[in-house]
Amino acid sequence: MPIKIMITDDALFMRVTLKNILVANGYDVVAEATNGQEAVEKYAAVRPDLVLMDITMPIMDGIAATRTIKSAYPQATVVMCTAMGQKNMVIEAIQAGAKDFIVKPFQPDRVLESIKKLVG
């Protein structure tokens, strides 16, 4: 059974880029969200195996969304997606419950390595 993944990023280009990497490697993208609040709602609805979560988004940022998801679903696996130079935010994201982080622009090998390490 394919691994179910939700992509959360306010930039359509980033969601498409990640989706292409994932689908080409046999993963099932079950949901996409454009902000943290939407991610929280969609997580509850689809219960993905893993969430790729952007840090900087409107309405609710990725760190707040990760905290909210992890408080309701402690087993949730979240990987933060961050732009270069957001080191402090990465530390905060890990403290919020993120299991790993990947840096934009995405390197397909690094994205896949993170997913395989966390959910197979």
Side-chain angles (χ1 to χ4, degrees), residues 92-107:
E92 198 177 338
I94 300 295
Q95 290 169 342
K99 301 276 190 230
D100 197 5
F101 67 94
I102 51 179
V103 177
K104 298 175 184 179
F106 300 117
Q107 301 297 318

Side-chain angles (χ1 to χ4, degrees), residues 45-120:
V46 300
R47 302 290 289 274
D49 299 307
L50 183 127
V51 179
L52 295 171
M53 180 86 70
D54 186 22
I55 290 181
T56 309
M57 294 180 290
I59 302 171
M60 179 190 284
D61 69 30
I63 294 169
T66 298
R67 274 197 194 101
T68 304
I69 289 170
K70 291 291 284 183
S71 70
Y73 305 95
Q75 78 289 358
T77 303
V78 179
V79 174
M80 301 308 288
C81 303
T82 174
M84 286 290 204
Q86 290 184 311
K87 192 174 177 184
N88 291 345
M89 289 180 133
V90 169
I91 293 166
E92 198 177 338
I94 300 295
Q95 290 169 342
K99 301 276 190 230
D100 197 5
F101 67 94
I102 51 179
V103 177
K104 298 175 184 179
F106 300 117
Q107 301 297 318
D109 290 348
R110 176 66 184 102
V111 173
L112 297 170
E113 172 194 312
S114 177
I115 293 169
K116 285 178 184 146
K117 178 174 70 176
L118 295 171
V119 293

